Amino acid sequence: AQSVAQPEDQVNVAEGNPLTVKCTYSVSGNPYLFWYVQYPNRGLQFLLKYITGDNLVKGSYGFEAEFNKSQTSFHLKKPSALVSDSALYFCAVRDWNTGNQFYFGTGTSLTVIP
Amino acid sequence: EAGVTQSPTHLIKTRGQQATLRCSPISGHTSVYWYQQALGLGLQFLLWYDEGEERNRGNFPPRFSGRQFPNYSSELNVNALELEDSALYLCASSLEQGANYEQYFGPGTRLTVT
């Protein structure tokens, strides 16, 4: 069973508009959730995480994400998109029930149109 | 502070040969993870080492193996290479203390099997 899902392979947004990249998870208990970004020909960079506490977490480059336990979602958001935000975004969950394993989504390609 | 480093950057092998990939974690990090990122398949978890021990492995055949050295650097070995092993292999390290469970990734090793 897929532990984390990113339902959109591609998201296009105009520069200056708000952006949302969706992520849902399916692990039980209290998951640790993460967002990473991958720029072309580079490794993944950590953006933000939810461990516990406030459901709205803020991260690097103006990104934020909201943990919603009832909807098992952890969507990534930014109020105003920049062209430089164009990249591949991965959601990840740490599942304490399966030997502490990390599961990554298949990634969402974000294109910000000037 | 130096990030996660991986070597070599590129590796070209022929089918049936063995490949060895190396990773040095961020100073102070004791955990090392290996992932395979094949085109269109997202990140697939391979192996997790912590304090010199293999803690978990993903759904890969035994010809994928590795080890972690006393200085926490790690090596991934792939024996009897097959064409479908061609992928970007990413190494990540984490601190595994307090709330510091996020992974920091290296730039990857691009393995091409011909």
Side-chain angles (χ1 to χ4, degrees), chain A residues 46-57:
Chain A
F46 168 70
L47 272 179
L48 50 78
K49 65 183 175 185
Y50 173 81
I51 304 295
T52 188
D54 194 350
N55 289 345
L56 184 66
V57 293

Side-chain angles (χ1 to χ4, degrees), chain A residues 36 38 49 94 98-99 102, chain B residues 33 35 37 96 99 102-103:
Chain A
Y36 291 84
Q38 187 176 33
K49 65 183 175 185
R94 185 162 191 163
T98 58
F102 271 85
Chain B
Y33 298 77
Y35 293 89
Q37 187 177 23
E96 305 288 319
E102 63 271 21
Q103 298 177 338

Side-chain angles (χ1 to χ4, degrees), chain B residues 4-5 15 20 24 30 33-34 39 42-43 53 65 70 73-74 77 81-82 90 99-100 102-106 108:
Chain B
V4 177
T5 59
R15 193 168 50 184
T20 298
S24 291
T30 60
Y33 298 77
W34 287 96
L39 201 60
L43 272 76
E53 306 248 343
S65 65
S73 67
S74 178
N77 295 294
L81 285 165
E82 300 178 2
L90 293 169
N100 299 309
E102 63 271 21
Q103 298 177 338
Y104 292 88
F105 284 80

Side-chain angles (χ1 to χ4, degrees), chain A residues 32 34 36 38 41-46 49 51 88 90 94 96 98-107, chain B residues 33 35 37 41-43 45 48 55-58 88 90 94 96 98-107:
Chain A
Y32 287 9
F34 306 84
Y36 291 84
Q38 187 176 33
N41 300 314
R42 294 173 67 175
L44 276 72
Q45 294 180 31
F46 168 70
K49 65 183 175 185
I51 304 295
L88 190 57
F90 290 93
R94 185 162 191 163
W96 300 98
T98 58
N100 223 3
Q101 189 167 317
F102 271 85
Y103 294 94
F104 280 79
T106 51
Chain B
Y33 298 77
Y35 293 89
Q37 187 177 23
L41 290 179
L43 272 76
F45 167 71
W48 171 30
R55 300 296 185 185
N56 202 357
R57 67 178 292 129
L88 180 67
L90 293 169
S94 68
E96 305 288 319
N100 299 309
Y101 293 104
E102 63 271 21
Q103 298 177 338
Y104 292 88
F105 284 80

Side-chain angles (χ1 to χ4, degrees), chain B:
Chain B
E1 179 183 276
V4 177
T5 59
Q6 292 185 246
S7 63
T9 304
H10 298 277
L11 191 56
I12 300 174
K13 294 284 186 178
T14 57
R15 193 168 50 184
Q17 285 188 317
Q18 179 197 36
T20 298
L21 289 65
R22 295 180 178 84
C23 171
S24 291
I26 290 172
S27 178
H29 286 192
T30 60
S31 271
V32 169
Y33 298 77
W34 287 96
Y35 293 89
Q36 183 193 68
Q37 187 177 23
L39 201 60
L41 290 179
L43 272 76
Q44 304 295 316
F45 167 71
L46 270 165
L47 290 159
W48 171 30
Y49 292 96
D50 183 59
E51 297 282 1
E53 306 248 343
E54 182 181 301
R55 300 296 185 185
N56 202 357
R57 67 178 292 129
N59 190 25
F60 280 84
R63 57 190 187 83
F64 287 85
S65 65
R67 53 181 171 167
Q68 187 178 33
F69 300 99
N71 66 353
Y72 303 115
S73 67
S74 178
E75 199 173 82
L76 173 69
N77 295 294
V78 188
N79 294 320
L81 285 165
E82 300 178 2
L83 295 178
E84 53 264 34
D85 296 333
S86 295
L88 180 67
Y89 288 83
L90 293 169
C91 170
S93 72
S94 68
L95 191 54
E96 305 288 319
Q97 289 181 11
N100 299 309
Y101 293 104
E102 63 271 21
Q103 298 177 338
Y104 292 88
F105 284 80
T109 293
R110 174 73 62 185
L111 174 63
T112 302
V113 183
T114 62

